[in-house]
């Protein structure tokens, strides 16, 4: 039986921070009190006793987080084929660059002439992203993909407001990421569900049926969240444009098509990119991300402020944009994340980025071909950066997607994305990314096959999984029914 | 390329399995008229070393590289970060993990978030906290949206003009598509928000104040709480400088319903304003209305204590357009950074460093007043304050700039009405010698 | 039953480096070829094909070492009460300081005036160490304690050579660390075994009996490796000096007596310090260390070269020392380690260093008192920084020191030093150091007591231990009989 | 103090257990006349931040802080270190561990050392390697001592005068107490060691050469091997620049019995010369005579492959005064650094970077020769070479110094006979623009 890298070993238990500590201990190096102690000239009733934080020593804190880290799994630990998430390797040098003194220490409110380095990075990144997507103008404000979507939706609204049109609906495919309808709703649009066809992609006809004068347009993802390229994209965008609508593109899956697809040519008007996916900035256990939006010229005036412009050899922040939807972030978005993506793009160059997309797609197709005999393939079409299976074939053994996912953990793999997209019941969405090599993919495939065999022969192994982890399956129902959010 | 592991041979072998002759064929089904034309226009790839050189030269074009002190706050603060904090939190098990969707593989992240939520709630005097928003500004916008959800029949919110101008801009952006009214409350003589007009406002869902506010002035939250609650509105407070709560009564104890703000001060480099950390806390009764992710305690099938992301029925994965917010990726690693920072300080350390901020700011404030400057507002302050100068301050400020000191922020950039006024910030990182230099320059 | 922090969890298996990799992969960022490729003007028969190294990608290397680290245990993981090793917490800031650009990048052969920063650190550290020990002059050359010992022994030899005396023997107590006799032998001296008394310390009388005109002197450790202070030290050094001999002090246990003992007053002529013990530089899984030697004035001329001197406000390397034993290291010893110790001393100051010693001794005495009922105490005397037990009480259950040590591993503690010093059969030497807090000591003590109870009730648990680790007990005999040192 | 966790209360409670009234009493048994008098004279403690400032000012006093290029090698080399290497090896599980005496808790260190030994042996063409010596110099001294142990009846060793002068000094230090003779072999016209005199030497245990030697000249090891073995001596080679073996035939294939040298080039910062890494390898038949620690492969009681420190009967823990060496702490973490560095390079990368060193050195060498300098030696070189200058080079060198370039090492510092000669080193880190600047300055 093939075995993944997962084995059992010694790790350390560790209590909650406030279950340690003793009053009077300290882990902070006290700065010099080089000014006299001032008497506090604040009303007594405005003053407090300070929070009930535990007092710890430096080694207490160090052991705490060192031990906690041992219960976690990151890309550096092993393969993390989480579909729709693009968990590629995060280069160490990017971290170092973002921490460059002078870059990491810069204050956001300095005058432009005092932060030319900061602004140059932003300006060049804007240019790079425009070139990568084929679009015309870029704003780096959005702090994540969802905020990019929101910016896009606000721009839709502003566009129609300016045109004096009142439209309230928006078409969103059933395969869309949940943030799409949520962002649209936040901006006052009513999502209209667009059913994807039986082949997993959109049918221009259904768009034609639904796209009307009350509809601002469409919000679609290409390649979509099934890992499929929307082949009717040109027809769809043409229909929407014909009827006065706009097209929003969710570019979270850009990793499949760098240097391969031109989104402007596809007819996209606004799109966001997830720098924390395609451009290798680490996910940090949930964030921070960055979700810049790229638009065609016609929409540039509506972009959030500020953008960076260059005049002569100087860089400036541009605030004077009367049509702008305004500001999304207190300053320039997650600037440090932008720096890492900038560093990555400079390290890769055009050729390597295109190669990365090719290899990401190769890896996904390789897994698709290698597992299609044992797992039900949701759509039998060439896939892009990810492939979607389901647990259909395992149902007769009463084994679910969840069981297989949890068993992968014991073997040392992070499970794929499961039960998403919703259109595929029991979905198993695998996105290997380009940074996994063939040997590691082969081992993963073999282990997955073995798990499927176990499903037939010894299903309990799967239902009980994981068993090697510090904790077994957790009771999510109790957590939600009696929420305990603080200790 | 060192990030692309495939050898030519491997590519061939894999293409044989997928049934393609060459890599390009993988994209054969993409319509010609969608294709990228030619090559992307990007610079030639840089080696690690050329890249480092490039960053050195970029950094050299930033003033902060050589500055002695930047006496600016206004939402971004220079605080000491113990070396231990980044070296722990950048451990790759934390940094290179995704959102903890598989809790058995992410107990480190999850316990870390749970601890962050708890310390945040304790700091702010609240009952529950979420696992972060993008930043202080969007946190405030989401707090207002949350209040509008709770008071679902009402459509008006009032926000103090003493709230950070950019936060107010973000609020306007977030709320622009809705059918909401935003009223800005004026500033009184003492620099505090003037709440006198509240009674006149109909349909009021919530009132938001910032304390210490943009002028550094500490609001009287308890009094405000009474007046706001009397107007049957929810009381939202926000902040840009959490260090203040080492000294001040917490917003929660003062009566706030929702508290939010920016946590950058707790261990994040200023980095031109991001990534920071939108902190967000509220009373327990509102917890199902909170935006964003939360971690909660539970047990595993053997009864062992553990943590999971919970209350996900509020989120867009499940609720889609009916979610409490569209936020998905948040500021994950920043929550762990803030928690490690708060843990490093401890109760004792937070209080002492907060006091030191107060002491140093008081030193400069008093020194400059003695040197001839005037306080614009009479209200009490923490580590920021506004001064006006009789003579033109610009040449003095330029001379200080030449010496490596940024002396305050021109307030008229944000408030046309306050001419010749400057917002100063002094934290524990500014040496007395620098403060003396500023005072001396102003005096002469 | 009390439980230490050790539990089982998921860790990752990982093959040897060359069991991964594929020719043509690369993990190194290739520097620009900005000069023309030169034709190699070297005889063909001097050229080779380069070594058979595996070609890996960056993520291959990253995962390799990330996974390997998961099989290891450091101070940051938990308590490491290894006697005689002073495993105290290693502050993070010291690493950062040693990596300061300009410090870490300095070339050792630059002219003095171009490396004043480097030299100032050395000069000040020399001064600090002199002040700490009470001695007069210091050399920072020795790369570790053993090299310090060797330097001392060479200075002994040089001293007598200069005096024209021929002495060949040296007294070394039976409790001495193995490096002491090895260093003496390397320098041509014949170690004469000095038996320690029944109370674990040296008897002045036995020194008087053995110290003769053929003997260069004595090499002793104080506090000694049993954690006991040699109370007759003044008498012993007086006897040795009277008979024309010299006294070498092994200062590896300095952590017990900072600001408390003056070694010059004790009569020590030369001593080394282990910066990687007392001064918190990390042990790095075996090194690098630093073993500066401190001497009294009379011996200063014999110190290795170069030393740093200050004249005016400039620092200089001093080479012109005709009596010097010469150079021990290609440059200045393990300079980066010196920097970390310097950083530590500056962070602590005199008062905190003394406090550290007090707390180190308090912790050891606390463990001694807490375990003395259940473990046989080798010597019933007040201890210094460490206490020594043995497995005498467990012998009736056929449980050895090794079994108890291995069982501690399962509980998440690094075992104490075992079977050393040799004078205590089945020795268990516990040195907690000052950076462990009371709660953690209490838990350790409780666990140790429980293990001792297990020894009585269920000895197999101990004999089978460890069971939680990736590997169980390893076959050291096979390793030595059929050595396989390369793969 | 943040490193000292004890609270006053805890100290009291613990003293109650140990039976002492206060901390000082713990030392009551230490005789009064051994006691430290008064307080230690040390500076007042610095906070983390004051310490950082102090280091900044120290660094500012080092030329290297602002230097554009230091064209010096001579035992310490400037090579690019991929950011990945330190970030991996400084993981605290490696960095804060002790020597792996408990193998079950230290398989990471142990496998890491085993891999280091293997890559080292492969690099040097040897069969076995140890787990490191302090540095290249002491490794050479220990290699000679080892040879003397093997050839236990003989007492003479010959070392080339083209070996790094400081390495020779260390050899003299290490061997001074023994009854050994050290003969220094002269340098021939071509910069290689002149072995002609070997036949005359009686009682010869070993001969040591360095290649590339101190002058950068590549020795003809194969020929030397024949002559040395003909003299019935062991052949030791040493090196200061392991990158050379990316291009050159390995010493092992050339016939060496013991190979040692300095591994700093493989991932360690120069750090004024330490910590570096003494690499040490030999033929298998000598493995029980090797000094220092070694890791070896074995199995656990379940038959699983694992690693332990082995052959410890050679070491001082067991053999005490009969040990093969007194070395105990070695350069532990540096071995992991070197292994990770070698793994990062791979066979392909090592070869390419070595060639680039060659190319850049050749560029400067040829450029300076064309500008009028003369080669002191005719032998082939790798990335170091010696030039002499007809005119006085000192003012040129000073001008370059003012521009941030250290142009070579004055050879007369070490060899009085070579006046006006300078040893240059060029690695992959030096930009062509710098080399052109040097050539231009010499030409004009
Ligand atoms: C297809 C798609 N769209 C949008 C998003 C939302 O991006 P973010 O999490 O950065 O807000 C995601 C991320 O999960 C995604 O996969
Ligand atoms: C008492 C004593 N002396 C000497 C040494 C040798 O020191 P090093 O390992 O630094 O050579 C040690 C270290 O183990 C020791 O404990």
């Amino acid at each position: 039986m093939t075995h993944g890298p997962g084995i059992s070993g010694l790790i350390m238990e560790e209590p909650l921070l406030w279950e340690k500590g003793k009053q009077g201990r300290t882990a902070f190096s006290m700065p010099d009190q080089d000014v006299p102690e001032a008497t506090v000239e604040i009303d007594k009733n405005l003053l407090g006793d300070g929070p009930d934080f535990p007092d710890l020593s430096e080694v207490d804190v160090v052991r705490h987080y060192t031990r906690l880290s041992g219960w976690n799994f990151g890309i550096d630990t092993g393969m993390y084929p989480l579909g729709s998430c693009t968990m590629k390797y995060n280069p160490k040098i990017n971290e170092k660059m973002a921490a460059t003194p002078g870059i990491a220490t810069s204050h956001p409110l300095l005058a432009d002439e005092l932060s030319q380095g900061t602004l140059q990075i932003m300006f060049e990144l804007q240019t790079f992203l425009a070139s990568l997507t084929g679009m015309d103008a870029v704003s780096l404000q959005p702090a994540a993909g969802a905020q990019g979507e929101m910016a896009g939706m606000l721009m839709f609204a502003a566009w129609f407001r300016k045109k004096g049109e009142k439209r309230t609906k928006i078409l969103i495919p059933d395969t869309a990421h949940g943030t799409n309808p949520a962002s649209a709703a936040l901006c006052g649009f009513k999502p209209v569900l667009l059913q994807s066809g039986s082949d997993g992609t959109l049918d221009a006809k259904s768009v034609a049926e639904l796209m009307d004068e009350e509809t601002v347009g469409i919000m679609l993802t290409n390649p979509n969240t099934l890992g499929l390229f929307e082949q009717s994209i040109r027809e769809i965008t043409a229909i929407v444009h014909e009827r006065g609508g706009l097209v929003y593109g969710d570019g979270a899956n850009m990793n499949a098509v760098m240097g391969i697809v031109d989104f402007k040519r596809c007819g996209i008007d606004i799109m966001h990119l997830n720098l924390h996916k395609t451009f290798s900035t680490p996910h940090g256990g949930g964030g921070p991300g960055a979700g810049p939006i790229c638009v065609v010229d016609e929409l540039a005036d509506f972009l959030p402020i500020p953008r960076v412009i260059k005049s002569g050899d100087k860089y400036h922040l541009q605030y004077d944009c009367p049509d702008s939807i305004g500001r999304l972030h207190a300053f320039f978005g997650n600037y440090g994340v932008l720096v890492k993506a900038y560093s990555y793009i400079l390290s890769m160059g055009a050729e390597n980025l295109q190669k990365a997309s090719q290899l990401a797609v190769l890896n996904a197709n390789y897994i698709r071909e290698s597992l299609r005999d044992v797992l039900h393939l949701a759509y039998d079409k060439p896939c892009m950066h990810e492939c979607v299976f389901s647990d259909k074939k395992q149902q007769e053994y009463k084994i679910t997607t969840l069981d297989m996912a949890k068993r992968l953990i014991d073997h040392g793999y992070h499970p794929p994305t499961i039960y998403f997209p919703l259109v595929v019941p029991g979905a198993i969405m695998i996105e290997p990314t380009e940074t996994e090599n063939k040997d590691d993919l082969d081992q993963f495939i073999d282990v997955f096959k073995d798990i499927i065999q176990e499903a037939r022969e010894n299903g309990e192994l799967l239902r009980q999984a994981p068993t090697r982890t510090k904790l077994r399956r957790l009771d999510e129902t109790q957590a939600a029914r009696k929420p305990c959010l603080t200790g | 390329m060192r990030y692309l592991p495939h050898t030519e041979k491997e590519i061939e072998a894999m293409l044989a399995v997928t049934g393609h002759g060459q890599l390009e064929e993988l994209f054969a089904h993409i319509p010609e008229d969608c294709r990228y034309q030619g090559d992307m226009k990007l610079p030639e790839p840089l080696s690690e070393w050329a890249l480092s050189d490039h960053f050195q030269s970029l950094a050299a074009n930033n003033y902060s590289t050589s500055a002695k002190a930047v006496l600016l706050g206004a939402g971004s603060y220079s605080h000491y970060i113990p070396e231990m904090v980044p070296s722990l939190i950048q451990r790759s098990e934390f940094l290179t993990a995704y959102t903890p969707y598989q809790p058995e593989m992410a107990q480190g992240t999850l316990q870390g978030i749970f601890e962050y939520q708890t310390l945040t709630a304790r700091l702010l005097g609240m009952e529950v906290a979420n696992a972060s928003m993008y930043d202080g500004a969007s946190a405030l916008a989401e707090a207002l949206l949350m209040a509008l959800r709770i008071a679902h029949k009402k459509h008006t919110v009032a926000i103090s003009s003493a709230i950070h101008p950019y936060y107010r801009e973000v609020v306007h952006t977030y709320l622009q598509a809705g059918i909401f009214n935003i009223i800005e409350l004026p500033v009184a003589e003492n620099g505090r928000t003037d709440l006198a007009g509240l009674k006149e406002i109909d349909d009021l869902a919530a009132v938001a104040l910032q304390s210490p506010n943009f002028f550094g002035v500490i609001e009287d939250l308890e009094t405000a709480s009474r007046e706001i609650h009397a107007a049957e509105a929810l009381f939202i407070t926000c902040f840009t400088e959490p260090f203040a709560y080492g000294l001040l009564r917490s917003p929660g104890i003062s009566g706030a319903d929702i508290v939010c703000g920016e946590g950058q001060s707790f261990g994040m480099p200023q980095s031109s304003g991001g990534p920071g950390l939108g902190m967000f806390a509220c009373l327990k009764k509102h917890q199902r209305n909170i935006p964003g992710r939360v971690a909660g305690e539970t047990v595993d099938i053997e009864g062992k204590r553990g943590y999971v992301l919970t209350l996900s029925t509020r989120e867009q994965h499940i609720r889609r357009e009916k979610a409490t917010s569209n936020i998905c990726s948040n500021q994950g690693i920043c929550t762990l950074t803030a928690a490690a920072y708060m843990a490093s300080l401890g109760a004792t350390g937070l209080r002492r460093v907060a006091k030191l901020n107060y002491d140093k700011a008081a030193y400069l404030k008093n020194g400059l007043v003695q040197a001839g400057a005037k306080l614009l507002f009479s209200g009490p302050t923490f580590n920021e304050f506004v001064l006006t100068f009789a003579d033109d301050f610009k040449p003095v400020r330029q001379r200080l700039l030449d010496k490596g000191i940024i002396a305050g922020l021109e307030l008229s950039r944000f408030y046309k009405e306050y001419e010749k006024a400057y917002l100063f910030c002094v934290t524990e990182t500014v040496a007395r010698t620098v403060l003396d230099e500023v005072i001396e320059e102003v005096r002469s």
Side-chain angles (χ1 to χ4, degrees), chain A, chain B:
Chain A
M1 150 130 203
T2 316
H3 206 292
I7 54 173
S8 283
L10 180 70
I11 63 166
M12 297 292 131
E13 186 53 279
E14 176 70 6
L16 291 160
L17 273 170
W18 50 91
E19 292 169 355
K20 310 174 59 163
K22 277 281 172 328
Q23 205 199 325
R25 244 183 239 168
T26 179
F28 201 86
S29 179
M30 233 2 96
D32 293 343
Q33 175 88 35
D34 61 357
V35 297
E37 286 244 22
T39 40
V40 177
E41 288 171 354
I42 304 177
D43 271 10
K44 280 247 172 55
N45 64 353
L46 298 179
L47 297 176
D49 302 324
D52 178 21
F53 284 177
D55 278 356
L56 303 158
S57 71
E58 183 162 324
V59 68
D60 286 337
V61 179
V62 166
R63 284 195 185 146
H64 186 78
Y65 286 99
T66 304
R67 289 172 173 186
L68 259 60
S69 76
W71 314 340
N72 245 31
F73 184 97
I75 298 166
D76 285 10
T77 325
M79 193 170 161
Y80 215 126
L82 207 55
S84 192
C85 299
T86 316
M87 292 297 282
K88 58 167 73 175
Y89 170 63
N90 309 131
K92 305 288 166 219
I93 187 68
N94 298 348
E95 300 304 313
K96 180 94 186 249
M97 294 302 94
T100 303
I103 299 293
T105 51
S106 195
H107 193 288
L109 290 175
L110 292 182
D112 292 353
E113 59 272 23
L114 302 181
S115 41
Q116 286 292 301
T118 296
L119 298 182
Q120 182 179 341
I121 291 173
M122 289 176 69
F123 179 81
E124 291 185 353
L125 184 58
Q126 288 174 185
T127 316
F128 296 167
L129 297 182
S131 172
L132 270 153
T133 52
M135 307 293 279
D136 300 316
V138 176
S139 162
L140 304 172
Q141 276 261 317
Q147 211 185 24
E149 297 166 16
M150 189 182 104
M153 290 303 98
L154 290 174
M155 288 169 74
F156 272 32
W159 166 271
F160 286 106
R161 207 157 48 229
K162 179 141 194 189
K163 289 192 109 178
E165 288 184 37
K166 201 161 164 54
R167 300 189 180 210
T168 55
K169 295 186 297 177
I170 183 160
L171 306 185
I172 303 184
D174 50 7
T175 52
H177 193 262
T179 49
N180 292 9
S183 299
L186 186 62
C187 301
F189 297 128
K190 207 184 124 33
V192 174
L193 192 79
L194 187 62
Q195 229 125 29
S196 46
S198 58
D199 70 344
T201 63
L202 294 176
D203 186 1
K205 250 189 261 152
S206 15
V207 175
E209 275 161 31
L210 292 167
M211 181 66 210
D212 58 23
E213 316 274 82
E214 280 173 34
T215 303
V216 287
I218 189 169
M219 194 172 190
L220 51 74
T221 309
N222 198 16
N224 70 19
T225 53
L226 294 163
L228 305 175
F229 191 83
E230 295 288 357
Q231 285 175 270
S232 313
I233 180 79
R234 289 282 301 237
E235 290 142 70
I236 292 169
T237 58
I239 294 168
V240 173
H241 286 149
E242 245 162 51
R243 305 192 186 170
L246 293 171
V247 179
Y248 185 90
D250 179 331
N253 296 333
M254 180 77 189
N255 204 47
V257 292
M258 287 183 285
I260 291 157
V261 168
D262 180 320
F263 287 91
K264 189 177 176 186
R265 292 189 80 213
C266 289
I268 304 294
D269 298 303
I270 308 183
M271 71 184 290
H272 78 264
L273 296 173
N274 280 26
L275 300 192
H276 44 307
K277 298 186 175 176
T278 314
F279 300 98
S280 87
T281 78
H283 278 81
I293 45 175
C294 311
V295 302
V296 291
D297 269 333
E298 293 85 324
L299 282 147
D301 289 344
F302 298 91
L303 281 171
I305 49 165
R307 268 195 294 156
V308 180
I309 52 170
K310 187 174 181 180
S311 61
D313 57 355
K314 292 288 173 204
Y315 302 92
H316 299 285
L317 286 167
Q318 193 186 29
Y319 286 100
D320 184 25
C321 311
D323 284 338
S324 166
I325 57 162
R327 179 182 281 279
L328 286 170
H329 185 274
F331 300 110
F332 314 126
N334 283 328
Y335 183 77
V337 178
L338 304 177
V339 175
K340 294 177 199 180
Y342 173 75
S343 164
Y344 176 71
I345 293 171
L346 284 179
S347 300
M348 295 287 279
E351 203 178 315
N352 286 315
L353 286 175
Q354 189 182 49
K355 188 77 175 274
S357 284
Q358 291 174 335
L359 296 177
V361 173
L362 176 65
N363 277 1
N365 275 283
Y366 184 72
I367 286 189
R368 183 177 159 282
E369 279 308 309
S370 305
L371 286 179
R372 60 178 299 162
D373 290 342
V374 289
L375 276 178
H376 174 253
L377 197 54
Y379 300 93
D380 195 1
K381 295 187 58 174
C383 72
M384 301 293 286
H385 58 294
E386 61 197 5
C387 54
V388 183
F389 298 101
S390 82
D391 56 4
K392 211 171 190 175
K393 290 192 183 176
Q394 282 67 44
Q395 276 167 11
E396 57 175 311
Y397 315 111
K398 301 213 159 29
I399 290 296
T400 64
T401 286
L402 187 73
D403 298 328
M404 290 187 275
K406 296 297 183 193
R407 183 68 179 147
L408 276 170
I409 295 178
D410 277 335
H411 281 283
Y413 295 106
H414 196 284
T417 293
I418 54 178
Y419 302 107
F420 177 83
L422 305 171
V423 293
V424 178
I428 300 171
M429 184 172 27
I430 303 177
E431 180 181 12
T433 87
E434 74 279 6
T435 59
E436 296 301 320
N437 69 41
K438 178 172 180 295
D439 291 340
D440 290 342
L441 292 182
D442 285 337
Q443 197 186 5
F444 172 77
I445 289 162
D446 288 346
V447 167
F448 214 137
K449 284 185 180 165
D450 284 332
I451 289 176
I452 289 163
Q453 193 171 331
E454 281 176 352
R456 272 196 301 271
E457 293 167 4
N458 189 358
E460 218 35 39
L461 274 179
L462 279 65
R463 276 177 224 109
Q464 289 298 322
T467 58
R468 287 208 171 87
T469 43
K470 175 177 185 285
L471 296 179
R472 306 277 304 278
R473 287 194 202 182
L474 287 141
D475 187 343
E476 313 216 13
T477 317
Q478 176 188 320
R481 206 159 36 198
K482 295 190 188 170
C484 166
L485 310 185
T486 49
Chain B
M1 211 296 150
R2 62 199 186 280
Y3 309 149
L4 304 177
H6 300 63
T7 64
E8 283 309 316
K9 269 196 206 150
E10 286 174 315
I11 292 175
E12 263 172 50
M14 293 172 77
L15 285 172
V17 171
T18 63
H20 298 88
Q22 41 184 335
L23 286 173
E24 289 70 26
E25 281 179 26
L26 290 163
F27 303 93
H29 61 293
I30 296 186
E32 210 35 64
D33 52 7
C34 295
R35 294 302 192 97
Y36 204 98
Q37 311 282 87
D39 294 328
M40 295 181 285
K41 271 192 227 77
L42 295 174
E44 283 302 300
L46 295 179
S47 72
E48 207 170 307
W49 339 106
L51 186 67
S52 298
D53 289 347
H54 178 57
F55 266 91
Q56 286 308 320
S57 64
L58 287 166
N61 289 336
N62 273 354
Y63 184 78
S64 51
T65 306
S66 52
K68 241 184 331 202
V70 177
L71 302 176
L72 279 192
S76 177
Y77 300 90
S78 164
H79 288 292
Y80 284 134
I81 303 174
E83 180 54 25
M84 137 180 78
V85 171
S87 62
L88 289 170
I89 301 307
Q90 275 164 25
R91 286 180 63 84
S92 62
E93 294 89 338
F94 294 131
L95 191 65
T96 73
Y98 201 75
T99 305
Y101 291 140
Q102 296 289 342
E104 300 87 356
M105 275 187 133
Q107 282 300 305
T109 296
L110 283 161
Q111 179 168 329
I113 295 175
F114 183 78
E115 291 172 339
Y116 160 77
Q117 291 175 180
T118 304
L119 296 183
T120 297
R122 291 185 185 189
L123 177 79
L124 304 175
M126 285 276 115
E127 291 168 332
V128 297
N130 78 3
S132 80
M133 310 300 287
Y134 302 134
D135 70 342
S138 64
L140 176 59
E142 296 257 22
L144 289 162
L145 287 170
M146 173 171 159
L148 287 162
R149 274 197 306 279
I150 294 172
H152 58 281
K153 292 270 157 69
K154 302 180 182 172
H155 299 88
T156 303
V157 293
I159 61 179
S160 162
S161 324
I163 288 178
H164 194 300
Y166 287 165
Y167 285 37
R168 283 181 283 130
E169 285 188 29
V170 172
V171 166
H172 284 281
T173 305
Y174 264 70
L175 271 63
Q176 71 186 243
I179 38 161
F180 309 124
N181 308 315
I182 305 170
I183 294 172
E184 300 216 352
L185 302 169
V187 178
E189 284 286 285
N190 59 5
R192 285 185 175 151
T193 309
D194 182 350
L195 295 171
L198 269 196
K199 299 184 206 81
E200 260 79 289
I201 307 172
D202 260 357
D203 190 37
L204 188 65
V207 179
L209 303 187
Q210 174 182 330
S211 182
N213 65 26
F214 187 68
F215 310 120
V217 173
I218 300 161
E219 298 271 2
D220 181 352
L221 297 183
E222 245 160 41
T223 309
S225 167
R226 273 195 301 276
E227 296 180 26
I228 292 162
H229 286 135
E232 293 191 349
L234 286 170
F235 181 22
I236 297 171
T237 76
C238 79
F239 58 89
T240 58
E241 174 52 294
F243 256 109
Y245 301 129
L247 217 53
L248 303 183
R249 184 164 301 174
S250 72
I253 294 185
S254 311
D257 300 292
I258 304 174
V259 185
C260 61
E262 175 59 52
Q264 172 267 328
S265 282
F266 286 166
M268 282 142 268
Q270 296 183 269
S271 192
S272 296
L277 169 63
M279 300 176 94
F280 197 105
C282 66
L283 298 177
K284 193 160 184 168
K285 64 179 171 193
H286 300 312
Q287 70 189 6
R288 287 180 192 272
N289 249 310
I290 211 169
R293 291 190 203 121
V294 290
E297 191 173 299
T298 186
V299 290
D300 78 353
I301 53 169
E302 291 174 353
K304 288 197 204 127
R305 180 171 79 175
Y307 303 90
V308 293
L309 291 183
T310 190
L311 298 187
S312 45
T313 49
R314 299 164 305 110
E315 287 184 77
Q316 69 295 127
H317 308 292
I318 294 184
R319 285 268 289 233
R320 299 181 77 84
E321 73 264 25
K322 297 201 176 60
T324 55
S325 163
N326 71 330
I327 192 173
C328 180
S329 287
N330 57 18
Q331 302 294 107
I333 203 78
C334 305
T335 65
L336 263 60
T337 301
Y341 194 85
M342 291 189 264
S344 305
L345 283 168
T348 311
L350 175 62
R351 198 160 185 83
R352 281 190 57 191
V353 179
K355 181 60 174 33
L356 187 55
N357 273 258
Y358 183 85
D359 293 345
K360 294 212 171 198
Y363 184 85
L364 182 66
K365 181 159 109 172
N366 298 334
L368 288 178
V369 167
Q370 273 165 33
K374 291 220 153 40
L375 282 168
L376 179 61
F377 302 114
S378 58
T381 61
F382 173 60
N383 66 3
E384 292 184 272
F385 51 89
V386 179
L387 294 177
T388 56
F389 296 85
D391 302 328
D392 195 2
F393 185 58
K394 281 196 184 132
V396 180
R397 200 156 170 270
Q398 181 60 47
R399 282 199 299 277
L400 286 167
L401 186 73
D402 297 340
K403 293 180 177 175
I405 299 170
I406 303 258
L409 182 71
E410 227 168 326
L411 207 57
S412 58
R413 239 172 101 174
F414 301 100
Y415 297 84
K416 290 209 198 72
E417 62 271 37
Y418 300 129
E419 271 176 68
K420 297 188 178 179
Y422 291 82
L423 175 64
F424 287 85
C425 174
V426 189
T427 68
E428 79 283 0
T429 62
V430 186
R432 177 190 184 146
T433 49
V434 170
L435 302 177
D436 286 336
E437 221 175 317
V438 176
I439 296 166
E440 206 39 61
E441 194 69 51
V442 168
R443 204 194 316 273
S444 61

